[in-house]
Amino acid sequence: MRKNKRKFALLLAATMLVSCLTGCGSGNDTGSAQSGETGRFTETEVALPEGISDIRTMNKLEDGSLEVIAQKNGTYCILHSSDMGENWEVTPLEELGDAYISETAIAPDGSAALFDVKMEDDDSFTYTLRIASPQGELRNMDFPLDDATMLKGAAYDSAGNLFVLDTDDRLQKVNTEDGSRTQPFDTNGTGIFYFGIAGQTLCAVYEDGIMLFDTATGKALDPESAMDDIVKKTDYASEPGYDRGAPMAFAAGDENSILIVNHEGIFQHTIGGSVNEQLVNGELTSLNDTSLVTLSAAMMDANNIFVAAFLDGSGDKLLRYTYDAGASAVPEKELNVYALEDSALLRQAMTVFQKNNPDVYVKLEIGTSEDNGVTAEDALKVLNTNIMAGKGPDVLILDGMPLDSYIAKGILEDISDVVDAVDKEDGLFSNIKDAYRQNGKQYVMPMRFYTSIVTGDEKSVAAGSSLKTLADRAESLKKQSSTRYIFMPRRQDDLLHELFCADSASWRKKDGTVDADKLKDYLTQAKRLYSVDSFDKELVPETSYWGVGEQIIGSAENTGNLMGMTQIGFGTFTSVSQLQLLYSVQAQSKTTFGLMDTDSTKSFIPYLMAGVVSGGDTDMAKLFVKELLGKEANSGTDSGFSVNRAAYEAATKEVMAETDISLGMSMGEYGERISVDYIPLTQEQVDACTAMLESLTVPTMTDRVIQNLVLEQGEKYLDGTQELDATVKEIQKKINLYLSE
């Protein structure tokens, strides 16, 4: 899945830019279990046969058994279990060979539909519908689609009828004898993101809710307001489906009810009812991990529910939720974690901790979000008040917080014993660890880190050693006009933020204030870089850079020179997966890359900096931080470089082992098709990356309030509404006022 996501991101990022320039809320019964009450669903991971990967779908059959479509050692197969996943029969579908299967569905009788898709020379797609019997025999039939149309979902109802959703938002019923299709449902032209089927009720998710249809008659059913609330009040629920799976899964529940699975948990909605009854609290399970993608779900009986899912960094899993009447309804212990921003990686670590410590409930509080509209400054004021009153959290994720102030005020505990224990067990990047070690004590440690890089020809990369020389180089190249743009066009705030990440590590003075001369140089060079190219600023897409853990040096940055658009790229270098893309582009474009702004310092951007609050449950908090820094929580090849050396080495080996190289394509400025072939990473390339990461010594400034002040005033200077000296003076005045509070 990760490679498919990279391929799609490459296509989307470049295409969007070229086209521009040329929770469930109210209505859910989440339960009110009190401490001391017993009875709840507990999660276990089902052991699958060795070699199983790429789970595509799962379903409960009419005889009560369980069936899964997956791959075993690269060959598609049918897995069948008659004892709740304790034992499995494996039926290979060897006739499929190395076919690319885009969508799958399992019928109640155990037969399965697999849609085989091929890309033709003209970039169109050809589908073949393959119906597999439970014994593995295949029937094939043509499945023609309109030009540029693809499938994005398939499912059977309980009567054995097959339905599909295509990219033209048509829900169609498929005749599995000849591949012909009818369109029984009237969606009134509404865009459907994805769908699922519970018995004979089809659930189609759209922007404002869930349309319901009777698959037997095609008739639209009355809206269920409680189900609509899931979409209206949970942002991710109305996102499009992924290359496999979707943000939510649906299945048949008890009589006349629908099972709904999302990050908040597992819910059962009775048709005509006013609430969604919560069966499983997502916060106590892997479902809370926001990187999780639901593939399918099945309610075997009142006490057993299965969910097939993909978790970024952990791969495909089959999860079983079993009701345990003796388990405490609410874990007896509680650990409070606070972060300014939500993070899929943090939730992944929470899931690992929850699994290893089932008697502890990890409560995560998020200070800022798009929904609450709270600024970082206001959120920190409330947090500081609570800490001073002894009502603070046990663990702080210090990204965006005034770290130096918290250390000086004695708010944080020394966690050097935890850091050293992880270092002894798995190894840590010593340069990152040492950057936070003060007089033998350590009050914070990041889980991941990034750095800033420049891409382009050798002279441009060498010029990236300072913002001034980079601006000099860009202005020189502009005079030659060999491309329309020198840099990929970007908004003022995006440019200022990327340069802040690269340059701000050298601004900090011993008293915590900002060096005026260095701030002035940053703003001067930012304006020079912003002014190099002429473009319609209003047409540049907005980049959401506030979620530090998700930022990347965009695919468009890497491929701009291949499309004849740009000559230099710069931004944040985030992962081993991205390293493969950089070398793949380099192989085709004869470009290179290197660290940015190294004349001032070799800096890194910390991510998920964990600290333990004094006066809280110190032992439990340290145990959580240890899990956060451990190999299991740090698995995965995306979202930053792990400080855990064992996890980092595992990530590099995973990428180097890839032999099924994906092909990314994007539309060039003049209409040509540009492709990027992903090439395997070599050990020499990985070693060079490791050495580069080991050379980083100083963390960039991470205080969100200071960053916001710099960017807010910096935009005024870039757009010409404020002079340079006035901008520097205003930034310093506001920062000094903030630090004095």
Side-chain angles (χ1 to χ4, degrees):
M1 175 166 179
R2 181 176 58 80
K3 289 187 291 181
N4 290 339
K5 286 169 68 178
R6 281 190 282 150
K7 176 177 69 174
F8 180 71
L10 181 62
L11 171 63
L12 182 63
T15 302
M16 282 180 62
L17 188 54
V18 172
S19 64
C20 286
L21 296 171
T22 52
C24 306
S26 61
N28 295 331
D29 178 11
T30 58
S32 57
Q34 302 295 318
S35 178
E37 293 185 10
T38 59
R40 65 180 164 100
F41 281 87
T42 59
E43 177 186 276
T44 56
E45 182 178 346
V46 177
L48 295 171
E50 185 176 354
I52 294 296
S53 64
D54 191 29
I55 295 175
R56 306 313 301 259
T57 191
M58 168 195 66
N59 202 7
K60 174 186 176 182
L61 304 188
E62 55 194 8
D63 64 2
S65 61
L66 188 67
E67 187 165 296
V68 176
I69 300 293
Q71 289 193 59
K72 181 176 182 181
N73 299 324
T75 299
Y76 282 100
C77 61
I78 297 173
L79 304 179
H80 185 266
S81 176
S82 299
D83 55 5
M84 295 287 187
E86 294 295 328
N87 296 281
W88 296 93
E89 299 174 9
V90 181
T91 303
L93 301 175
E94 296 178 348
E95 186 180 325
L96 290 176
D98 59 355
Y100 177 73
I101 303 300
S102 68
E103 307 296 334
T104 60
I106 297 173
D109 64 359
S111 60
L114 303 98
F115 292 89
D116 180 359
V117 60
K118 292 184 175 63
M119 179 182 285
E120 305 298 337
D121 292 339
D122 62 355
D123 296 337
S124 63
F125 297 94
T126 301
Y127 280 87
T128 301
L129 172 56
R130 300 173 180 265
I131 302 295
S133 71
Q135 294 75 37
E137 300 169 344
L138 290 173
R139 289 189 296 110
N140 304 326
M141 62 199 77
D142 293 335
F143 196 82
L145 292 172
D146 297 340
D147 290 344
T149 302
M150 300 180 68
L151 294 182
K152 57 179 183 178
Y156 280 96
D157 70 1
S158 58
N161 299 304
L162 176 63
F163 299 87
V164 297
L165 173 67
D166 65 23
T167 51
D168 288 333
D169 297 321
R170 295 177 298 191
L171 284 163
Q172 299 177 323
K173 182 178 180 180
V174 180
N175 184 326
T176 55
E177 294 300 319
D178 59 13
S180 62
R181 299 181 294 285
T182 57
Q183 197 166 337
F185 312 115
D186 183 4
T187 60
N188 297 313
T190 303
I192 305 299
F193 294 134
Y194 55 95
F195 82 103
I197 296 179
Q200 294 191 48
T201 301
L202 188 147
C203 308
V205 179
Y206 68 106
E207 185 176 9
D208 295 321
I210 303 174
M211 291 183 180
L212 302 177
F213 296 95
D214 186 328
T215 59
T217 65
K219 179 182 177 181
L221 303 177
D222 291 336
E224 298 287 331
S225 60
M227 292 181 66
D228 287 342
D229 281 346
I230 295 176
V231 176
K232 292 176 181 177
K233 299 179 180 180
T234 310
D235 290 342
Y236 65 80
S238 59
E239 293 177 353
Y242 310 114
D243 56 348
R244 288 194 293 135
M248 294 194 297
F250 302 91
D254 290 342
E255 185 178 356
N256 198 36
S257 70
I258 297 172
L259 199 72
I260 306 166
V261 181
N262 60 23
H263 292 308
E264 276 63 48
I266 301 178
F267 299 85
Q268 185 167 248
H269 177 82
T270 300
I271 298 297
S274 60
V275 298
N276 304 314
E277 180 190 2
Q278 187 173 42
L279 303 180
V280 176
N281 184 350
E283 293 183 345
L284 304 178
T285 69
S286 299
L287 298 173
N288 189 50
D289 185 342
T290 52
S291 74
L292 179 143
V293 176
T294 58
L295 304 177
S296 52
M299 189 170 190
M300 307 302 290
D301 56 39
N303 295 321
N304 292 278
I305 300 169
F306 283 79
V307 175
F310 171 87
L311 284 86
D312 193 14
S314 301
D316 296 343
K317 293 183 180 295
L318 185 58
L319 304 171
R320 177 177 173 177
Y321 299 89
T322 304
Y323 187 76
D324 183 348
S328 174
V330 178
E332 297 177 0
K333 303 175 184 176
E334 181 174 292
L335 183 73
N336 294 290
V337 179
Y338 183 97
L340 273 180
E341 296 170 350
D342 206 346
S343 160
L345 193 60
L346 173 59
R347 289 185 181 273
Q348 176 181 310
M350 289 171 56
T351 297
V352 172
F353 181 82
Q354 199 87 64
K355 180 184 69 175
N356 295 334
N357 300 273
D359 61 333
V360 181
Y361 169 51
V362 181
K363 182 180 180 181
L364 175 63
E365 181 180 356
I366 303 298
T368 64
S369 70
E370 293 182 0
D371 294 332
N372 65 23
V374 177
T375 66
E377 187 170 7
D378 288 341
L380 289 173
K381 286 179 180 178
V382 174
L383 172 65
N384 294 340
T385 298
N386 289 336
I387 290 176
M388 292 299 102
K391 300 177 182 178
D394 301 299
V395 175
L396 280 176
I397 303 302
L398 290 145
D399 299 29
M401 297 185 188
L403 174 59
D404 292 338
S405 174
Y406 285 178
I407 294 174
K409 293 177 180 178
I411 291 174
L412 300 177
E413 289 278 345
D414 177 16
I415 58 170
S416 57
D417 54 338
V418 172
V419 174
D420 291 343
V422 177
D423 194 9
K424 183 177 180 180
E425 184 174 343
D426 296 330
L428 294 172
F429 272 91
S430 59
N431 54 315
I432 307 299
K433 181 185 74 170
D434 293 344
Y436 294 98
R437 188 71 53 115
Q438 302 178 10
N439 300 320
K441 294 186 177 182
Q442 188 141 12
Y443 300 96
V444 64
M445 186 67 188
M447 182 179 182
R448 303 263 177 131
F449 65 100
Y450 316 101
T451 191
S452 298
I453 62 170
V454 179
T455 66
D457 62 80
E458 290 186 0
K459 289 185 178 180
S460 296
V461 172
S465 61
S466 76
L467 301 189
K468 181 182 183 304
T469 53
L470 182 62
D472 291 342
R473 174 65 175 169
E475 291 172 349
S476 175
L477 288 173
K478 189 64 178 180
K479 294 177 182 178
Q480 303 172 22
S481 300
S482 61
T483 59
R484 181 174 179 180
Y485 306 109
I486 300 302
F487 303 108
M488 196 64 75
R490 46 168 58 82
R491 291 161 53 100
Q492 293 172 345
D493 52 355
D494 293 334
L495 173 72
L496 288 165
H497 178 261
E498 288 168 356
L499 298 182
F500 182 96
C501 291
D503 195 53
S504 64
S506 63
W507 302 357
R508 189 185 296 107
K509 297 169 67 174
K510 289 184 179 180
D511 61 359
T513 59
V514 171
D515 187 301
D517 291 336
K518 292 184 177 180
L519 176 60
K520 187 174 184 178
D521 181 66
Y522 156 80
L523 292 168
T524 299
Q525 308 314 326
K527 189 160 189 175
R528 290 179 67 196
L529 291 166
Y530 185 68
S531 302
V532 167
D533 294 308
S534 298
F535 52 89
D536 189 341
K537 278 74 171 175
E538 297 300 320
L539 295 181
V540 179
E542 182 176 1
T543 302
S544 178
Y545 58 73
W546 299 113
V548 177
E550 309 304 324
Q551 62 183 319
I552 63 171
I553 178 169
S555 299
E557 288 280 347
N558 289 308
T559 57
N561 58 344
L562 290 180
M563 294 185 289
M565 289 185 65
T566 65
Q567 296 187 54
I568 305 175
F570 63 87
T572 309
F573 180 34
T574 63
S575 67
V576 178
S577 295
Q578 191 190 359
L579 178 66
Q580 185 183 32
L581 173 60
L582 285 168
Y583 275 118
S584 297
V585 171
Q586 178 177 311
Q588 288 183 234
S589 64
K590 303 190 187 315
T591 58
T592 186
F593 64 92
L595 290 174
M596 185 176 178
D597 206 30
T598 54
D599 282 356
S600 56
T601 186
K602 290 187 176 182
S603 63
F604 64 89
I605 306 162
Y607 181 46
L608 292 184
M609 297 186 292
V612 172
V613 179
S614 298
D617 190 338
T618 303
D619 292 340
M620 187 63 67
K622 284 188 173 184
L623 186 62
F624 178 82
V625 172
K626 185 177 181 181
E627 201 81 73
L628 195 74
L629 300 175
K631 180 181 178 181
E632 185 177 3
N634 273 278
S635 61
T637 61
D638 298 308
S639 298
F641 297 102
S642 173
V643 298
N644 186 295
R645 293 299 293 255
Y648 170 78
E649 290 167 7
T652 60
K653 289 178 181 177
E654 179 182 340
V655 175
M656 284 193 293
E658 292 178 351
T659 56
D660 179 19
I661 304 304
S662 52
L663 177 71
M665 290 182 294
S666 49
M667 181 67 74
E669 183 178 9
Y670 306 109
E672 75 276 14
R673 298 293 290 187
I674 301 298
S675 65
V676 179
D677 295 297
Y678 283 88
I679 61 174
L681 280 178
T682 67
Q683 187 63 55
E684 182 180 4
Q685 291 168 337
V686 169
D687 290 344
C689 176
T690 303
M692 183 174 72
L693 297 177
E694 290 174 335
S695 73
L696 308 174
T697 57
V698 183
T700 191
M701 293 182 70
T702 57
D703 190 312
R704 182 56 47 78
V705 175
I706 292 177
Q707 182 188 101
N708 289 350
L709 291 173
V710 172
L711 269 59
E712 177 186 89
Q713 297 300 316
E715 283 192 65
K716 296 179 181 180
Y717 172 58
L718 261 60
D719 63 24
T721 60
Q722 189 167 264
E723 296 295 327
L724 176 60
D725 289 340
T727 302
V728 173
K729 184 177 180 180
E730 188 67 15
I731 291 174
Q732 285 200 299
K733 182 181 75 173
K734 289 180 178 293
I735 289 177
N736 292 339
L737 178 62
Y738 163 66
L739 293 176
S740 67
E741 293 178 348

